[in-house]
Amino acid sequence: MGADNYILGVDGGNSKTDFALFRTDGTLCSFLRGGTCSHEKLGGYDLAGKAIASSLKRLLAPVGVSAGQIGSAVFGLAGVDIPEQRSGMERAVSGLGLRESLVCNDGLLGIKAASPRGVGVCSINGTGTVCVGVDETGAMLQVGGTGAVAGDNAGGAYLARRAIGQAYAQRFRNGPVFGGTQWIEEKLHITCMGKWLEAIHPTRLHYKSFMTELIQLLFHLEQQGDLAARAIVVEAAENLADGVIGCIRNLTFHHRVEVVMAGSVWSKGNCRRMKDTFMARVEACVPQEVAFTVLDSPPVLGAVYWAMERETHAWPEREVRERVRGQIQAQERGLR
């Protein structure tokens, strides 16, 4: 394989999808941010495939490259949690005319984007939560990401629900005093005790418009010594750590384990207690040395590195990775 072969990296989330066409020497050829290609959001694998095909056509047209000229492509996609979903998206991608492609959960891109060797574990703590890993043999594993039964008791949505539940517990279930109770009542327009059940009924509970504010309040209260807020934060941190610990135990790591922390709660939440609790629990339960990194790069970077690795059969050199990183970050700045 030559150093100037084309490769494609794709990061497909629930709201947007980034497409990056590079040469294997680290030269950016084309970049596109399109809408979601999630089969869950669009209503099926065929519609997801059509969305990807449309965006890919727009990506390639300006540079006169055909899909058949692309050597390797990596698609990190939201909603690819179980084999059935992966197979469905593989079928959707198979009609694009690419020579070779990999479809995986988008969480795996964080590992490839931030780990120096392209192996490790990624704890995603955003609106939702999932833990994924890639080990030194190339084996991949996902822990959680499917709901409460799998132990997904973390993430922004969970923290918001727990805070609202804590306020309800203070009022009605002999719960401890919680500094956020009155604030939550105001946000939910609860003007008397009789309004509580109506406000939190599953068909009526709407908190997304103030979820970020509520999480920030929760973290502020914890920092100020609110014991109820602290219990919620510690619980979530320990659940996140347990996912990482389980992922490491079920994969093969002979050297230092890179643990990448991704998602808005990790990157923007700025809760020292949550991070310290998470890291201390992982370190206490894992025999290997552990290095923690908060992801500060676009996840599509990981898809590009991975596609390069698959095309050249070697993890890209640091100089190439830095060149790719700089060009993608420039694209990101241009989209703001």
Side-chain angles (χ1 to χ4, degrees):
M1 297 294 181
D4 60 350
N5 287 341
Y6 293 106
I7 57 94
L8 173 68
V10 180
D11 170 34
N14 286 315
S15 59
K16 61 179 176 61
T17 306
D18 285 342
F19 294 79
L21 180 71
F22 274 83
R23 291 186 181 273
T24 48
D25 66 355
T27 301
L28 176 64
C29 302
S30 186
F31 185 92
L32 174 73
R33 175 162 292 174
T36 182
C37 62
S38 166
H39 66 94
E40 295 174 329
K41 291 287 185 179
L42 295 175
Y45 300 114
D46 289 342
L47 292 174
K50 289 179 180 178
I52 292 173
S54 175
S55 293
L56 183 61
K57 184 178 180 180
R58 289 190 290 133
L59 175 80
L60 300 180
V63 290
V65 175
S66 69
Q69 291 177 265
I70 298 172
S72 292
V74 170
F75 293 82
L77 305 175
V80 177
D81 298 309
I82 59 177
E84 176 187 344
Q85 295 169 327
R86 180 173 178 175
S87 296
M89 286 309 302
E90 284 175 340
R91 288 194 301 272
V93 168
S94 67
L96 298 175
L98 298 165
R99 287 173 13 207
E100 189 272 341
S101 61
L102 170 71
V103 173
C104 64
N105 182 276
D106 58 340
L108 289 161
L109 301 186
I111 300 169
K112 297 294 183 178
S115 171
R117 297 181 295 125
V119 298
V121 173
C122 183
S123 167
I124 297 180
N125 188 14
T127 301
T129 179
V130 67
C131 179
V132 291
V134 180
D135 72 12
E136 294 157 7
T137 72
M140 293 178 274
L141 178 66
Q142 177 174 331
V143 177
T146 57
V149 173
D152 295 332
N153 298 324
Y158 178 80
L159 291 171
R161 292 194 301 271
R162 279 286 283 116
I164 294 169
Q166 191 65 58
Y168 182 80
Q170 177 185 334
R171 295 299 193 210
F172 296 102
R173 302 186 65 87
N174 194 35
V177 173
F178 173 47
T181 296
Q182 185 175 345
W183 187 93
I184 288 169
E185 288 174 331
E186 291 173 359
K187 286 293 184 179
L188 293 177
H189 307 291
I190 296 172
T191 55
C192 64
M193 293 298 101
K195 293 286 188 181
W196 254 106
L197 275 181
E198 180 182 8
I200 64 171
H201 191 276
T203 62
R204 291 179 174 269
L205 179 57
H206 302 292
Y207 56 83
K208 290 185 178 180
S209 64
F210 59 85
M211 184 174 74
T212 299
E213 288 180 85
L214 178 52
I215 294 168
Q216 290 172 342
L217 174 63
L218 180 70
F219 290 166
H220 173 73
L221 290 170
E222 187 285 321
Q223 190 176 24
Q224 297 302 309
D226 187 297
L227 296 181
R230 181 161 300 175
I232 294 171
V233 167
V234 169
E235 174 199 35
E238 290 180 343
N239 278 314
L240 289 160
D242 287 344
V244 169
I245 294 162
C247 195
I248 293 172
R249 287 177 177 173
N250 283 280
L251 290 172
T252 302
F253 295 101
H254 297 297
H255 306 286
R256 183 177 73 176
V257 183
E258 305 287 340
V259 175
V260 181
M261 301 159 67
S264 57
V265 179
W266 278 144
S267 62
K268 300 176 183 177
N270 195 30
C271 181
R272 191 69 258 170
R273 176 79 58 179
M274 177 172 279
K275 290 179 179 177
D276 287 348
T277 302
F278 168 80
M279 291 189 288
R281 189 174 181 91
V282 172
E283 290 177 328
C285 297
V286 172
Q288 300 95 324
E289 180 187 355
V290 181
F292 298 93
T293 304
V294 177
L295 182 65
D296 62 355
S297 302
V300 70
L301 188 68
V304 173
Y305 290 166
W306 204 349
M308 286 182 171
E309 179 185 27
R310 292 171 65 84
E311 180 68 7
T312 65
H313 307 290
W315 186 241
E317 297 290 337
R318 181 174 180 177
E319 180 183 347
V320 173
R321 297 200 310 270
E322 289 303 314
R323 189 183 311 143
V324 172
R325 180 190 300 273
Q327 291 172 96
I328 287 183
Q329 288 177 335
Q331 294 294 320
E332 282 274 308
R333 290 193 293 271
L335 291 169
R336 290 172 188 167

